Amino acid sequence: HLAVLLLVFLSGSTFGIKLEGNGYTDVLIAINPVVPENPLLIERIKEMVSNASSVLFTATEDKFYFEEITILVPPNWSQGDYGRTKTETYEKAKIIINEENRAYGDQPYTLQYGQCGSESRYIHLTTKFILDDELIKLYGPRGKVLVHEWAHLRWGVYDEFDDGQPFYKGAHSDIQATRCSLELDGKIVNRINHTNCTHIDPNNKIYPQDCVFLADSEQWENTVTTFCSNKTHNSEAPNAQNRMCDNRDVMDVIFTSSVDAKANVQPLKGPHPAPRFTVMQRGQRVVCLVLDVSGSMRGSRILQQQQAASLFLTTVVEDNSYVGIVTFTNDATTLKPLTVIHGEESRTQLVRYLPSEANGGTDICKGLKKGFELRKDNGNTMGDEIILLTDGESELNCASEVKESGAIVNTIAFGPSANKELKIMSEISGGKYFYASDNLDTTELVNVFASLTTTNGDLTHQTILLDSSGMKGNGILNGTVSVDHTIGNKTTFLVLHESQSPEDIEIKSPSGQIYDFIDFQHSAISKTHSLVIQGTAETGEWTYTIKNTLSDQYITITITSCAVSDAIPPVTVKAHMSQQSIDGSKPMLVYAEVNQKGVPVILADVIATLKSDSGDQYQLQLLDNGAGADAFRNDGIYSRYFITSKKGRYNLKVKVQRKDKGKNNGQVRLKRHSVAPYVPGYVIKGKSLIVMNPPKPPVSEDDLQADVGSFTRTAIGESFSVSLPPGVPPPNFPPNKITDLNAEIEEDKLMLTWTAPGEDMDQGTADSYEIRVSMDLEALRGNFSGAHLMNTSDIRPLEAGSTEEYSFLSSYIINAEPETVMFFAVRSCDKDSLMSDMSNVAKATKIVPFVPTTTTPTISQYPSPNLKRSSGSNVVAVVVSVIGTAAVIIAVLVVTRMRLNRPGNTPNFTETQVSTSFL
């Protein structure tokens, strides 16, 4: 029956955007529930996508266009005749229409943080951007903007402009605007008085921030219809595309590295067809619990199922949802037909129907089919949800029925023996897959049920998991949890036990108010004690103490809460892996998104726990440092590589904590994601006429970060699997590629800095560095080993995540040209001589006086001296002259190392090594 499952799985039933021939299908655009109903908005969306399809077709040389688009409107819209969804949900949408947020205003952006060529999370557009034609002046035609963002979303390319560094000094000492193609002409003018910029910043020898590049209007119109290729790409520009994609052009990434690279799409002969649109709407949430009560569930497993399902019914599932309960052994029974959730009594009634006894065989498909029979008055199950929990291994021969039902099947594999094919059942129906251990001292099953919230985009009415912990045996379980000002409604402390009640439970509020045992509601059947804080819970640190000294049993506590009001979006955390399955041949990445309605939350402590069905457990500190697995520093996305040689099913739990650090007052610069470029104006060629657009609405640094104080969150990601080919030893991984190499001139010093990689990707400590320098960017990129090698043999890398800093104290740098331009790159090596990929290329430029020379030997005539510590002096008094291509470079290399004890902290100097080298 596995073959049948795979056949259904491979027959076009996976979810997400598809490329069928030359056309993109299953493109889901979702409108957030906060957006008021407006039929014009739907028409404008259709118009935008239709125009974008033509732009996309031209930009990709007649290869791609938009074919099938679904627009998902909110459940509360009532004026249109909308079709009913199947498995489409808000969280699956790749294009989101929402209100503006503080970090971006109405500027379109793409939530992008993967590797070059990787698909991104979603495109964010606002209703004002779609409806207000005045914004066309700022960002250009909507269709072109959508294609620009589509390149970020689908193909994983990055911005080719940079608001932080709009100008740079070129290799030929000319000042250039940061842009895709140098062939794009224009003028650099003062943004205030619109006169030509003539003033040069004395510090960096480029134009100051009050200057702006205005493109030629006619050329701009022609240029933005195509993506940059190897003929037009500006590999020298200091932009994210060059840093993240190894200075490659956009077309190269699309057709060699992206998700569409293997499609081998040929140009379409003739015009492309117009997009087809479907407008759909989800109704009220309908959930059927399909619960295993076979003999293998007897004892602690049936109790854990009862306790976790009780949490879901009393706390998680939303008001006005419909819930039914089905149980199965080798047959299936409806315990409770669909019942609307309306008040506490309806929730309590449903809890009473949860099964507490187990006996008999297992037939998972019988349970699923019975669940499909529970239908609302519309007579079908399209868009309904199934939550299937089983610990059994019965055959799964109902894949066709699952697919045809149109229902979303979320599966929970409970314990190590649960059927491994459950994952495919979720994948063919657009559901989620979870593995949960049956160990009594874990909260894994409870955490899974707590994560099964609605997916309509309305975060203010969802239950948020703050924390969960447990212990086994006699003793005291205690801890703290932070309640921030974005949450506080329906704050619940749920204590679960195995046999007899603990002797005492004490919850203490930040003001000192005590809630003790008598304040909890106790259920002897499900062995739970629950406390719901009335009104809004106090902001601050809450403490809990559970005394259990008389009984050898497991005790757990789970704390949940909801948004404080509809007007204040809560801080949320989403956790996921880069892939849901892997064969061990390459590392996976762990991601945690921490934000408040799109505004990044930074400087948090983020710990990921990954546990397999065989008991192997890994803990990783996820980092937001812009190095290793992390694409950008301080963007609220925390990342880390996950490497394992142990096969099995793994679950993912991420805990996020932050103590009140307040605003950073400009000390930490926040990173925004890929955005649509703002067009400040243009030049009309031949008329010498400058036309300025209205200024872009400003976004202050204060708006680029969430001010939420101390908080605690816990997120559960979907489970994933690791399989290793039989007989093949697990691979060794090299150090990760360095992506944040930076070169700066500070007075008479050239500073090279980067984040240390690890022995295996970003874990452990690398063995050595290889630093090379060239006066020719393309030569360095094309032949790293042929560039000049700097002697770093005596330098030992620091632990992964530490900051490495190298200083070159130059007496002078003399060049025949007005400037000396140097390009640097680094590779690292591990103890097994595995080399990392070459780093991003860093450039340093310094103005130096001209000094005539009498001889011009080549740079290779002089060997590099060994690096060694000076005795009795802080600076080595060794100067090595290198004369090459009319250049004299005299340098003293000072190696300063800094270790970051915690992400975001001020680095502590731990070691200083003074050495000599030359370029």
Side-chain angles (χ1 to χ4, degrees):
H1 295 291
L2 177 59
V4 176
L5 272 174
L6 290 174
L7 180 62
V8 175
F9 176 65
L10 295 173
S11 62
S13 55
T14 53
F15 289 81
I17 299 168
K18 298 184 185 69
L19 177 62
E20 298 184 356
N22 297 79
Y24 288 109
T25 64
D26 290 353
V27 179
L28 180 59
I29 302 175
I31 302 173
N32 192 278
V34 301
V35 175
E37 186 165 8
N38 185 350
L40 179 60
L41 180 63
I42 295 176
E43 295 307 311
R44 285 292 182 89
I45 291 172
K46 293 179 179 179
E47 177 184 295
M48 173 184 67
V49 175
S50 297
N51 292 336
S53 188
S54 298
V55 174
L56 180 64
F57 191 68
T58 301
T60 57
E61 301 172 346
D62 301 346
K63 291 183 177 178
F64 301 120
Y65 62 91
F66 294 121
E67 185 172 347
E68 291 183 359
I69 310 293
T70 298
I71 301 173
L72 180 63
V73 303
N76 55 346
W77 283 25
S78 59
Q79 297 176 15
D81 184 17
Y82 309 120
R84 186 180 178 188
T85 59
K86 294 183 180 178
T87 58
E88 298 87 356
T89 63
Y90 183 88
E91 70 174 2
K92 295 176 186 174
K94 288 297 186 178
I95 303 174
I96 289 173
I97 313 297
N98 202 347
E99 293 179 330
E100 67 174 38
N101 64 40
R102 299 199 321 269
Y104 296 88
D106 290 300
Q107 188 171 20
Y109 70 90
T110 301
L111 184 62
Q112 179 181 22
Y113 49 81
Q115 307 296 302
C116 179
S118 300
E119 287 187 271
S120 302
R121 296 294 279 175
Y122 59 78
I123 297 170
H124 185 281
L125 306 175
T126 68
T127 53
K128 185 175 182 180
F129 169 78
I130 293 175
L131 296 174
D132 189 349
D133 290 345
E134 287 296 309
L135 292 183
I136 295 176
K137 298 177 182 178
L138 302 186
Y139 305 111
R142 296 185 188 95
K144 290 184 177 180
V145 171
L146 180 59
V147 171
H148 178 271
E149 297 309 309
W150 182 264
H152 297 314
L153 174 77
R154 180 67 178 176
W155 301 315
V157 300
Y158 283 83
D159 282 334
E160 295 184 292
F161 62 95
D162 193 315
D163 289 339
Q165 195 171 352
F167 305 104
Y168 67 96
K169 181 79 72 171
H172 301 291
S173 304
D174 51 337
I175 302 176
Q176 293 289 347
T178 302
R179 62 199 191 278
C180 164
S181 173
L182 293 178
E183 297 177 2
L184 181 60
D185 294 329
K187 284 187 176 183
I188 298 175
V189 303
N190 185 289
R191 69 172 72 244
I192 305 300
N193 58 28
H194 309 164
T195 59
N196 289 341
C197 272
T198 57
H199 175 67
I200 303 297
D201 189 321
N203 294 318
N204 55 25
K205 304 301 180 182
I206 59 176
Y207 295 118
Q209 289 291 322
D210 58 0
C211 293
V212 63
F213 174 76
L214 303 183
D216 175 80
S217 61
E218 182 178 348
Q219 195 180 18
W220 171 259
E221 287 297 320
N222 294 331
T223 302
V224 297
T225 59
T226 59
F227 292 118
C228 273
S229 65
N230 60 346
K231 295 181 180 180
T232 59
H233 178 63
N234 179 9
S235 61
E236 196 179 79
N239 55 33
Q241 171 66 15
N242 283 331
R243 181 175 76 83
M244 296 296 298
C245 297
D246 297 327
N247 302 81
R248 295 160 59 202
D249 62 87
V250 169
M251 295 291 269
D252 182 38
V253 174
I254 294 174
F255 292 108
T256 64
S257 301
S258 77
V259 67
D260 296 326
K262 295 181 180 179
N264 194 27
V265 175
Q266 299 301 310
L268 188 69
K269 296 180 180 180
H272 65 87
R276 299 190 298 273
F277 295 93
T278 304
V279 183
M280 308 188 81
Q281 183 181 46
R282 291 197 70 79
Q284 293 294 337
R285 189 181 188 189
V286 178
V287 185
C288 181
L289 301 180
V290 179
L291 306 176
D292 191 342
V293 292
S294 62
S296 57
M297 288 288 292
R298 192 181 300 118
S300 62
R301 287 183 180 177
I302 195 72
L303 175 61
Q304 289 183 74
Q305 175 177 262
Q306 185 182 22
Q307 292 173 332
S310 295
L311 171 71
F312 177 79
L313 294 173
T314 59
T315 306
V316 176
V317 68
E318 300 78 18
D319 284 338
N320 301 316
S321 300
Y322 288 81
V323 180
I325 301 173
V326 166
T327 59
F328 67 92
T329 55
N330 46 13
D331 202 354
T333 304
T334 300
L335 294 188
K336 182 65 175 174
L338 291 178
T339 302
V340 65
I341 300 292
H342 187 69
E344 294 303 317
E345 179 55 35
S346 57
R347 296 177 183 270
T348 302
Q349 185 185 45
L350 282 165
V351 169
R352 294 193 189 106
Y353 281 89
L354 289 173
S356 58
E357 296 181 356
N359 191 35
T362 306
D363 191 327
I364 297 172
C365 284
K366 285 278 186 69
L368 282 171
K369 293 175 183 178
K370 179 63 71 172
F372 295 149
E373 294 177 8
L374 272 63
R375 303 173 179 180
K376 283 183 63 182
D377 50 12
N378 53 33
N380 62 57
T381 56
M382 284 199 310
D384 293 352
E385 295 177 57
I386 297 286
I387 298 177
L388 168 68
L389 184 151
T390 182
D391 70 344
E393 293 184 315
S394 75
E395 291 183 341
L396 293 176
N397 54 9
C398 52
S400 297
E401 290 93 330
V402 169
K403 184 179 178 182
E404 292 169 2
S405 72
I408 300 169
V409 180
N410 302 300
T411 58
I412 304 171
F414 188 36
S417 300
N419 196 314
K420 292 180 171 58
E421 297 170 13
L422 287 172
K423 186 173 186 288
I424 298 179
M425 301 294 278
S426 290
E427 289 174 335
I428 65 176
S429 65
K432 296 179 179 180
Y433 167 73
F434 299 96
Y435 164 75
S437 168
D438 59 351
N439 290 340
L440 297 177
D441 57 345
T442 70
T443 59
E444 292 177 17
L445 189 60
V446 170
N447 292 341
V448 168
F449 273 94
S451 71
L452 292 171
T453 57
T454 185
T455 56
N456 67 0
D458 183 4
L459 301 176
T460 60
H461 293 93
Q462 292 184 9
T463 297
I464 298 171
L465 179 60
L466 304 188
D467 198 7
S468 62
S469 61
M471 73 171 190
K472 173 68 174 176
N474 300 328
I476 295 177
L477 176 64
N478 54 31
T480 63
V481 61
S482 296
V483 174
D484 57 275
H485 68 77
T486 71
I487 58 172
N489 276 346
K490 301 179 182 177
T491 302
T492 302
F493 294 81
L494 177 66
V495 177
L496 309 178
H497 60 91
E498 180 183 1
S499 52
Q500 69 181 61
S501 294
E503 297 100 274
D504 193 24
I505 306 174
E506 180 181 286
I507 307 295
K508 186 177 180 181
S509 75
S511 65
Q513 182 176 353
I514 302 295
Y515 300 87
D516 56 23
F517 200 88
I518 62 174
D519 296 308
F520 281 75
Q521 289 187 348
H522 177 228
S523 170
I525 298 175
S526 60
K527 297 181 173 56
T528 62
H529 295 266
S530 62
L531 168 69
V532 180
I533 305 300
Q534 297 302 308
T536 302
E538 293 178 38
T539 299
E541 295 289 318
W542 288 69
T543 63
Y544 58 84
T545 304
I546 305 170
K547 185 179 180 181
N548 177 63
T549 59
L550 301 180
S551 177
D552 185 13
Q553 62 174 339
Y554 79 85
I555 298 287
T556 67
I557 185 170
T558 302
I559 304 109
T560 60
S561 190
C562 293
V564 67
S565 75
D566 293 346
I568 301 178
V571 173
T572 59
V573 178
K574 293 183 179 179
H576 66 97
M577 305 296 296
S578 58
Q579 298 165 262
Q580 295 309 116
S581 61
I582 199 167
D583 62 5
S585 61
K586 62 180 181 179
M588 303 180 78
L589 290 90
V590 191
Y591 292 115
E593 306 171 25
V594 189
N595 68 76
Q596 183 190 17
K597 194 184 177 182
V599 180
V601 177
I602 64 169
L603 307 179
D605 294 318
V606 183
I607 302 296
T609 301
L610 304 98
K611 190 174 180 181
S612 75
D613 52 9
S614 59
D616 297 306
Q617 182 169 308
Y618 304 81
Q619 278 201 337
L620 298 174
Q621 182 180 15
L622 307 189
L623 303 177
D624 186 15
N625 62 352
D630 194 63
F632 295 105
R633 184 181 183 87
N634 295 327
D635 65 348
I637 310 298
Y638 299 77
S639 318
R640 204 70 184 265
Y641 285 107
F642 174 60
I643 300 170
T644 182
S645 59
K646 305 290 184 65
K647 65 180 182 179
R649 293 177 288 192
Y650 285 78
N651 55 37
L652 170 64
K653 174 183 177 181
V654 171
K655 184 174 181 179
V656 182
Q657 291 180 296
R658 195 181 83 159
K659 299 302 179 184
D660 189 2
K661 299 174 182 178
K663 293 279 188 176
N664 70 53
N665 297 320
Q667 298 173 14
V668 178
R669 181 175 178 82
L670 276 293
K671 168 65 184 177
R672 297 200 303 164
H673 290 277
S674 300
V675 297
Y678 162 67
V679 182
Y682 52 91
V683 178
I684 299 180
K685 193 173 183 179
K687 296 183 180 180
S688 299
L689 179 63
I690 294 174
V691 178
M692 299 297 294
N693 284 327
K696 183 176 68 173
V699 177
S700 70
E701 283 294 325
D702 284 346
D703 288 334
L704 286 179
Q705 56 182 308
D707 182 19
V708 296
S710 298
F711 69 90
T712 305
R713 295 290 189 276
T714 298
I716 306 302
E718 283 193 65
S719 297
F720 62 97
S721 60
V722 176
S723 59
L724 301 175
V728 178
N732 289 328
F733 294 104
N736 65 265
K737 172 186 171 182
I738 294 168
T739 59
D740 62 345
L741 179 65
N742 186 58
E744 292 183 2
I745 297 292
E746 295 181 1
E747 297 180 354
D748 60 345
K749 293 189 300 183
L750 171 64
M751 306 287 294
L752 281 181
T753 61
W754 68 86
T755 302
E759 167 75 11
D760 297 300
M761 302 309 290
D762 60 359
Q763 297 166 34
T765 304
D767 188 65
S768 63
Y769 291 127
E770 179 183 355
I771 305 176
R772 293 186 182 267
V773 60
S774 175
M775 304 297 179
D776 187 326
L777 170 62
E778 294 306 318
L780 181 63
R781 288 183 56 221
N783 185 14
F784 175 81
S785 298
H788 177 65
L789 175 66
M790 298 176 60
N791 191 335
T792 57
S793 59
D794 288 347
I795 298 176
R796 293 293 173 260
L798 295 174
E799 184 182 357
S802 304
T803 296
E804 303 273 25
E805 183 172 284
Y806 294 76
S807 299
F808 298 84
L809 303 179
S810 300
S811 300
Y812 56 87
I813 300 175
I814 303 176
N815 197 308
E817 300 296 328
E819 295 88 11
T820 297
V821 181
M822 295 168 285
F823 298 95
F824 295 85
V826 182
R827 289 197 308 185
S828 50
C829 183
D830 68 11
K831 64 179 182 293
D832 296 320
S833 299
L834 295 177
M835 299 293 298
S836 72
D837 291 336
M838 188 187 84
S839 71
N840 64 295
V841 177
K843 181 181 70 172
T845 306
K846 185 175 182 179
I847 305 296
V848 296
F850 174 78
V851 176
T853 60
T854 57
T855 59
T856 58
T858 63
I859 198 169
S860 60
Q861 288 179 264
Y862 294 86
S864 296
N866 291 328
L867 295 170
K868 56 186 178 181
R869 184 180 298 278
S870 165
S871 58
S873 174
N874 289 329
V875 178
V876 177
V878 177
V879 177
V880 182
S881 298
V882 181
I883 306 174
T885 318
V888 178
I889 304 175
I890 303 178
V892 178
L893 173 62
V894 179
V895 183
T896 304
R897 293 173 164 181
M898 298 185 294
R899 186 184 304 276
L900 294 178
N901 297 327
R902 299 178 73 84
N905 283 5
T906 302
N908 297 320
F909 288 87
T910 59
E911 178 183 354
T912 299
Q913 185 174 11
V914 184
S915 312
T916 63
S917 184
F918 70 97
L919 310 180

